[in-house]
Amino acid sequence: MSDIRETLRSQPLRIGISTRSLFNLEEEHAVFVNEGVEAYATLQLNREDTLIEKGSGFEVVERLLRLNEPGQKPYVEVYLLSRNSPDLSLRAFHSIDNYGLSIKAGSFTSGRPLGPFISAWELDLFLSNEIVDVKAAIEAGAAAAKLGIAPQSRQEDPGDEVRIAFDGDAVVFNAESDEVYKTHGLQAFLQHERENAKTPMSGGPFGKFLRKLSILRQIFMNDQGVSRVRIAIVTARNAPAHARVVHTLRDWGTPADEAHFVGVRPKGPILKALGAHIFFDDQEKHVLGASQVVASGHVPGPHDPDEPIIPADL
């Protein structure tokens, strides 16, 4: 166990998050859109000492940072990346300090794109409200997702777990099976998955992130086999296509604590039941449905948002 602890401390899980993903800045952003940059800057300066409310990415970041052990090199590092000016960084770090988050570093680019800084900060995951920056992060090799606003119905969770949920195809896994369905139809897809049930899928845009997160999960595993870092797969696959998911995770050495093969049912109620702190999916309809109950990130993919992807076997 000490070996994997030191391995992760030498290359910690590095997360970048934009100010609008960490905090609720929707009112200020509306001023920027409707009245321009000068009005926005004036508003932020006038509110420099005003605490910013928590945003959609706040809870998962806070819970991940709590995993770090005092006096030790961190397992998780978080950096603030913002298109705001350096002047406006004061309010952000004032709020960070008030909430007790151990975020000390970041980039403020005065409107310039954040994409070039993804590799510079060696990020494993980037969360933003700007789709351009999200796509740039993916091109730079990081997992990335576009977050919306925080759900209004979220219940307070006093526990110390961090529960992260993922869709499967085109998120954790590659889009190969998607393509079989799109090209040849449902029955060909099901036959393909039966024949390849024990053939591991290749990693998708969140494949590397899942592997690193799994190391963190293992570090916090107790004697009863329960970890403070809980991983869930929530996918539209159902039997028989579910088997390949299980065999792939087993081959990767990244077992999930939960797997929900929902078929044609919506994912939101399942995510609410498991108490996920964040969910990642490549289909906008699933993200929109889930975002009512959990912070949800859209992972840009090759699909038309209106096309069904990996439909259930009815």
Side-chain angles (χ1 to χ4, degrees), residues 46-117:
N46 289 339
R47 295 182 176 182
E48 190 165 276
D49 297 321
T50 302
L51 186 68
I52 316 174
E53 293 182 0
K54 299 175 182 179
S56 56
F58 187 97
E59 185 175 17
V60 70
V61 163
E62 181 181 39
R63 288 175 178 272
L64 285 168
L65 287 172
R66 284 181 191 166
L67 299 172
N68 292 331
E69 299 168 350
Q72 300 289 333
K73 290 183 178 180
Y75 299 122
V76 179
E77 294 178 349
V78 177
Y79 302 99
L80 193 63
L81 275 66
S82 175
R83 292 191 180 211
N84 277 322
S85 71
D87 274 348
L88 303 182
S89 69
L90 297 179
R91 187 185 182 199
F93 279 110
H94 166 73
S95 296
I96 285 169
D97 184 62
N98 188 281
Y99 286 122
L101 298 180
S102 55
I103 302 175
K104 304 294 184 183
S107 295
F108 292 78
T109 66
S110 296
R112 292 291 179 91
L114 299 176
F117 299 96

Side-chain angles (χ1 to χ4, degrees), residues 108-290:
F108 292 78
T109 66
S110 296
R112 292 291 179 91
L114 299 176
F117 299 96
I118 304 303
S119 297
W121 286 108
E122 300 179 293
L123 299 182
D124 298 298
L125 172 67
F126 179 59
L127 303 174
S128 174
N129 298 74
E130 293 289 342
I131 190 63
V132 172
D133 290 328
V134 168
K135 289 181 176 180
I138 293 172
E139 291 177 4
K146 181 181 183 294
L147 293 187
I149 61 174
Q152 298 298 311
S153 61
R154 181 75 181 174
Q155 300 295 314
E156 289 294 326
D157 181 354
D160 63 359
E161 288 185 350
V162 54
R163 297 182 288 273
I164 301 179
F166 304 89
D167 179 34
D169 297 272
V171 178
V172 171
F173 314 123
N174 69 4
E176 171 200 340
S177 297
D178 285 2
E179 294 302 321
V180 172
Y181 164 70
K182 287 166 63 178
T183 304
H184 302 290
L186 176 59
Q187 293 308 313
F189 160 74
L190 293 173
Q191 182 64 28
H192 180 268
E193 296 307 294
R194 286 192 190 95
E195 293 174 353
N196 291 278
K198 294 186 178 181
T199 302
M201 289 179 274
S202 299
F206 273 69
K208 290 181 181 178
F209 175 72
L210 177 65
R211 292 174 189 267
K212 206 162 187 178
L213 186 68
S214 294
I215 298 173
L216 195 62
R217 172 184 175 273
Q218 186 178 351
I219 288 171
F220 286 92
M221 187 76 67
N222 65 22
D223 294 338
Q224 289 73 47
V226 178
S227 177
R228 283 176 63 188
V229 180
R230 196 164 182 85
I231 296 171
I233 301 294
V234 182
T235 172
R237 285 178 180 245
N238 59 9
H242 77 294
R244 197 174 183 195
V245 172
V246 177
H247 285 295
T248 297
L249 294 174
R250 185 182 296 170
D251 180 82
W252 288 6
T254 57
D257 298 283
E258 301 186 26
H260 302 276
F261 305 104
V262 303
V264 297
R265 294 185 62 83
K267 296 182 179 182
I270 299 295
L271 292 162
K272 182 178 181 179
L274 71 87
H277 297 116
I278 198 166
F279 170 59
F280 299 104
D281 200 297
D282 67 307
Q283 280 197 275
E284 288 181 292
K285 68 174 184 178
H286 291 312
V287 172
L288 291 173

